Amino acid sequence: MPPTVTTQPPRFATADAVARIAAASRRTQQPQSRADLVSLAMGEPDFDTPPLVTEAAQASLRAGRTHYSPLLGEPALREALAGKLAATAGAPVSAADILITQGGTAGLAASILSIVNPGDKVVIPDPTYSLYADLVAMAGGVVVPVPLGPDLHWDLDRLAAALADARLFVFCNPVNPTGIVHSHGELSALAGLLDGTSTIVISDEAYSDLDYTGRPFTSAVSVDGLRERTVYCQTFSKSYAMTGWRVGYLWGPPSLIQAAARVHNTFNGSVNTFIQDAALVAVESCADDIARMRAAYEERGEIMRKELASIPGLTLSAPEGAFYQFPRYDLGLPSVDVVAALRAHGVAVRPGSEFGARGEGHLRLSYAAGPRSIVEGVRRLAHGLAALR
């Protein structure tokens, strides 16, 4: 018999971009609730999508709307969004400058990857949504995190220093994970800091309909000095409880949207036609659903605040928008270890360090869950923290 030849399987090298993301990423996959676990980790509404939206998708499918959509998106949806954005921006908006994307995530990816070159300086607040840093790492850019002030709003002096020679500044408003809402004054101050520069801004306003401050929400595109340099990133996920539908959009300077469209079309292609038909109904007919869900989130935020207030060693944040509480704890343990220990007590939350170095010592809890889940989840949280003392 011929001798047996033992060969080792080949070792395949992957792109440097993968290694950069793996080295930089703080993102972790968190579970949904199940029989033995209450999840306060998911940034996902527990409401069903409004019935009018679902019915529109069903009608679109029955009508045979299952073919490719134009790469920039369905004209009717883009026109409707242009009208909505014109009211937000206080300036004319052309549908030609709107790109329909595969959710807000794909919009962020398309915009960041179309703007950032290897070595470019990209400024982000710390803490903030962790996807921004991952995408900058993919593009080969250099993330410059800027610590927030004690009130979790921007430290404008630190921000001014960091923005020197920056290619890009990325932020969200209202903010994930802190829940604060940047005011017109803050955004105007940012415009002043950027005056005379070529720095681009990406404003992720996924939670713009969830503002509890009592003052009108200020979009970056409504501020003179920002509008001309801002890529506006939006999603249907939060306002309309359409997370699984994967539809969002971008608007901004034509050259930047054209570049983002090139990236999005290469990675993703066009968004499903029938989903865009449903999204159009959401824009045109679901204002009452937004108001109903917003009121429920505000009530749930108060339930969570009252429950958390009785737990020793927690310093609560003061959310102004979105649906997150970002308390600081007084244990001398990394937040990833605290989260792991809490999981053993039947509650899932997110470690503050996922959102940046300055998030360490915090936990992010979502009150997008139902009231009973909030009460039970916080009860388990209290037991888990007590066991760590």
Side-chain angles (χ1 to χ4, degrees), residues 189-235:
L190 174 63
L193 294 178
L194 296 178
D195 187 33
T197 75
S198 59
T199 301
I200 299 166
V201 171
I202 295 176
S203 183
D204 176 2
E205 300 186 14
Y207 300 94
S208 59
D209 286 316
L210 305 180
D211 178 348
Y212 321 123
T213 62
R215 62 177 185 257
F217 176 76
T218 301
S219 169
V221 299
S222 71
V223 177
D224 292 339
L226 288 183
R227 183 186 307 108
E228 302 80 5
R229 67 175 73 241
T230 295
V231 176
Y232 173 91
C233 184
Q234 190 55 273
T235 176

Side-chain angles (χ1 to χ4, degrees), residues 4-384:
T4 301
V5 178
T6 302
T7 60
Q8 295 294 323
R11 294 185 178 182
F12 299 109
T14 56
D16 291 345
V18 177
R20 290 196 300 266
I21 296 169
S25 182
R26 300 170 183 266
R27 306 187 83 205
T28 56
Q29 181 65 45
Q30 295 290 349
Q32 295 179 322
S33 291
R34 55 179 189 261
D36 61 338
L37 183 74
V38 175
S39 180
L40 302 179
M42 300 294 288
E44 178 174 31
D46 76 328
F47 295 106
D48 291 333
T49 301
L52 284 176
V53 177
T54 303
E55 291 163 6
Q58 293 170 340
S60 182
L61 286 168
R62 286 193 295 269
R65 297 273 289 162
T66 57
H67 298 280
Y68 287 134
S69 171
L71 287 172
L72 291 179
E74 287 296 311
L77 177 57
R78 292 164 68 212
E79 288 289 350
L81 291 172
K84 181 178 180 180
L85 273 169
T88 298
V93 170
S94 171
D97 300 326
I98 292 176
L99 169 67
I100 308 301
T101 62
Q102 301 273 1
T105 298
L108 289 166
S111 53
I112 289 174
L113 293 175
S114 66
I115 291 168
V116 178
N117 291 310
D120 279 350
K121 177 180 176 181
V122 180
V123 176
I124 62 173
D126 183 4
T128 195
Y129 182 37
S130 56
L131 179 63
Y132 308 148
D134 286 9
L135 290 169
V136 173
M138 179 184 286
V142 178
V143 172
V144 178
V146 180
L148 301 175
D151 61 355
L152 299 179
H153 287 258
W154 294 329
D155 182 324
L156 292 173
D157 290 336
R158 282 177 155 170
L159 188 57
L163 285 171
D165 301 320
R167 171 69 168 166
L168 178 65
F169 176 52
V170 188
F171 72 97
C172 50
N173 190 30
V175 179
N176 174 11
T178 64
I180 68 96
V181 176
H182 292 300
S183 66
H184 185 276
E186 284 180 278
L187 292 166
S188 295
L190 174 63
L193 294 178
L194 296 178
D195 187 33
T197 75
S198 59
T199 301
I200 299 166
V201 171
I202 295 176
S203 183
D204 176 2
E205 300 186 14
Y207 300 94
S208 59
D209 286 316
L210 305 180
D211 178 348
Y212 321 123
T213 62
R215 62 177 185 257
F217 176 76
T218 301
S219 169
V221 299
S222 71
V223 177
D224 292 339
L226 288 183
R227 183 186 307 108
E228 302 80 5
R229 67 175 73 241
T230 295
V231 176
Y232 173 91
C233 184
Q234 190 55 273
T235 176
F236 285 74
S237 292
K238 314 301 181 181
S239 298
Y240 300 102
M242 292 176 66
T243 51
W245 297 71
R246 309 313 303 142
V247 58
Y249 56 99
L250 298 176
W251 175 68
S255 61
L256 297 180
I257 296 303
Q258 290 164 13
R262 175 67 69 180
V263 173
H264 188 270
N265 295 343
T266 301
F267 267 84
N268 303 104
S270 57
V271 175
N272 305 28
T273 304
F274 68 92
I275 286 179
Q276 293 187 67
D277 291 346
L280 176 60
V281 170
V283 173
E284 294 179 335
S285 305
C286 291
D288 289 346
D289 294 284
I290 292 175
R292 170 180 56 83
M293 289 186 280
R294 180 201 164 283
Y297 291 135
E298 192 168 13
E299 292 174 2
R300 293 174 184 193
E302 184 61 19
I303 291 170
M304 179 173 279
R305 187 197 66 77
K306 288 181 178 178
E307 296 296 320
L308 290 172
S310 65
I311 301 177
L314 283 186
T315 301
L316 305 191
S317 61
E320 301 168 321
F323 38 59
Y324 302 114
Q325 175 64 239
F326 197 59
R328 174 177 284 279
Y329 58 84
D330 65 354
L331 300 169
L333 294 171
S335 56
V336 291
D337 293 344
V338 174
V339 167
L342 291 173
R343 187 82 64 88
H345 285 266
V347 61
V349 299
R350 287 190 180 271
S353 60
E354 176 181 334
F355 304 93
R358 293 300 179 118
E360 186 55 273
H362 292 78
L363 303 171
R364 196 202 76 174
L365 288 69
S366 169
Y367 50 87
R372 289 184 179 179
S373 294
I374 291 171
V375 172
E376 177 60 20
V378 174
R379 184 188 71 81
R380 297 182 185 192
L381 177 81
H383 289 170

